[in-house]
Each structure stands twice: as structure tokens, then as C-alpha cells.
Amino acid sequence: MQQQQLAPGVILGPDGKPCKPCMAFRSFAGVKKKAAGASAAQQPHAGSSSAGGGTSTASSPSGSAALSSGAGAAAAAAAASLAEPVLPADCPPDVERLGRHTWTFLHTTASYFPPSPSPHQKTAMLSLLRALPTLYPCGSCASHLGSYLEAHPPEPEVESGREALEKWLCGVHNEVNERLGKDRFDCGDVPQRWRDGWADGRCDP
Ligand SMILES: Cc1cc2nc3c(=O)[nH]c(=O)nc-3n(C[C@H](O)[C@H](O)[C@H](O)COP(=O)(O)OP(=O)(O)OC[C@H]3O[C@@H](n4cnc5c(N)ncnc54)[C@H](O)[C@@H]3O)c2cc1C
């Protein structure tokens, strides 16, 4: 029964429920919104529905006062229906929010890793990195990461300390960027982005 209510493209988790951290809210919420708009359009008198949006003016009575006074509202409704859905701040994370926050944690942690780490710090860092392919809540992300770690094990960089680790993690992130069709990040900018702040001083307290 729940299966029938799922929007196309929704990824199910191991528990059979939609896997929120595996999907981008803007894509699955957009599909849901379109589906809601389509079913509303099939109802009689659907023209005033807020989900209907862009095409409702075509069926409005032309030349009437209602058209001019309703034009602003119709334009606003159309704009709202075109805007990407935004995940409310207090909802469970989607794949993008989880990713952004995880990268923030990982890059910041790498940028504050000591230049000459103690044996205990090295062990802790390796445990953290090795745990991700098992624990990261987006299964396909975790599986790609696991393959990357096998091909590019972090041990030598963790052994070397901060600078090497920052570069290695930048490489991990760039692999994901490329896979998602995003620009590569210049790894020379990592210290400014994640620890020192940019040279123009805009990040300084
Ligand atoms: C381990 C991991 C695996 C992931 N795998 C997937 C996946 O398979 N599929 C998927 O859809 N999403 C995945 N994500 C999420 C994805 O990487 C993004 O976090 C998400 O798409 C949001 O992207 P964004 O454009 O906001 O910026 P993000 O990619 O989250 O980056 C945040 C900020 O980091 C900085 N940055 C960007 N690249 C680098 C870099 N190379 N080095 C240092 N800093 C950088 C930039 O300032 C950027 O604004 C993964 C996330 C993580 C942590």
C-alpha cells in the first residue's frame, strides 16, 4: 500500500521505507509536487489550486477585472511552482544536506589534524575514515567511498600528518564532485577554505 504512494525515483532503504539520506529532497519533492499538480488539474475547478501554477491563466476569463487583479497572484503562484522545493531546516537530512555537513566535519577535522600526529591520533583518524563505508547512511555513497578507499588507502597520508591528509581528502571529495558532474575544487585552496579563511579577510572575526 505504501509502495503505491511512492513518487517515481524514490530510493528505498533496507527497512523498505524511502531512504531520505540517499535522495535529494528537491528532486523527489519536485516529483511529488508535479504529481499533486497533475491530479489537481484533473479535478473540476482546479484553476485556483496553488499547485496548478503556470498554466491556469489560460483558462481564466479573459478581459475581466478578475484577470487583472488575479494576475499578480497567478504570477506569484507560477513562480512558486517553478521554484525548487527547499527541505525545511528541522527535517531529517537528504543526500545533499548530509553530504555538505559531513564534508564540513571531515575537511575541518583534517585541517585541524596535527602536522605531526601522535600514534593515538593516527589510529583515531584511520578508524574514523575506515568506518565511513560501513556507517555512512547513503548506501550507494558509502559503497563508492569504500571502492575509493581500497584504491587510495589513507594510511600514508595519515602517517604524514595534516597537509597530506587535507590533500588526500580533497581528492576523495573531487572524485564525488566529478561523478556528480560538478567542478573539481582546487586542492591548493583547502587551508583557506577550511582553516585559515580567505586572504581578503571576509571570514575573519
Ligand atoms: C563521503 C561522501 C560521499 C558522497 N557520495 C555521494 C554520492 O555518491 N551521490 C550523491 O548524490 N551525493 C554524494 N555525496 C554528497 C555530495 O558530495 C554533496 O555533499 C552534495 O551533493 C551537496 O553538494 P554541494 O554542491 O552543496 O557541495 P559539497 O560537495 O557538499 O561541498 C561543500 C563545500 O566543500 C567545498 N569543496 C568542494 N569540493 C571540495 C574538495 N574537493 N576539497 C575541499 N573542499 C571542497 C566547497 O566550498 C563546497 O561548497 C557524498 C558526500 C560524502 C560526504
Side-chain angles (χ1 to χ4, degrees):
M1 162 130 176
Q2 194 188 9
Q3 289 274 29
Q4 289 173 335
Q5 294 168 352
L6 292 177
V10 166
I11 298 168
L12 297 180
D15 58 0
K17 295 181 181 167
C19 176
K20 294 184 177 71
C22 307
M23 303 179 289
F25 178 79
R26 60 191 165 83
S27 41
F28 65 82
V31 171
K32 240 166 67 178
K33 204 168 167 185
K34 267 190 205 150
S39 66
Q42 285 163 8
Q43 309 277 330
H45 314 300
S48 62
S49 157
S50 62
T55 55
S56 63
T57 49
S59 59
S60 299
S62 60
S64 70
L67 178 63
S68 56
S69 64
S81 77
L82 289 175
E84 282 198 337
V86 176
L87 178 64
D90 60 352
C91 289
D94 68 349
V95 69
E96 296 187 334
R97 184 175 294 170
L98 176 69
R100 239 170 257 134
H101 290 195
T102 304
W103 288 126
T104 297
F105 168 66
L106 291 175
H107 287 299
T108 308
T109 303
S111 282
Y112 283 84
F113 194 58
S116 303
S118 67
H120 179 62
Q121 287 166 324
K122 291 177 198 171
T123 305
M125 178 56 78
L126 283 175
S127 301
L128 171 66
L129 297 173
R130 287 182 188 140
L132 287 171
T134 304
L135 297 178
Y136 197 69
C138 159
S140 68
C141 309
S143 153
H144 282 294
L145 180 64
S147 306
Y148 189 93
L149 291 191
E150 271 178 30
H152 305 88
E155 281 80 358
E157 285 79 10
V158 169
E159 189 61 38
S160 294
R162 176 188 298 165
E163 198 181 325
L165 181 64
E166 283 178 323
K167 287 212 171 84
W168 176 86
L169 188 60
C170 179
V172 179
H173 196 162
N174 272 337
E175 187 276 332
V176 180
N177 289 343
E178 276 191 337
R179 195 155 38 77
L180 299 181
K182 300 182 187 186
D183 291 341
R184 287 178 68 84
F185 188 88
D186 181 347
C187 294
D189 286 340
V190 165
Q192 288 192 90
R193 172 65 178 91
W194 294 108
R195 189 182 59 243
D196 301 333
W198 299 101
D200 63 10
R202 68 181 185 274
C203 308
D204 296 344

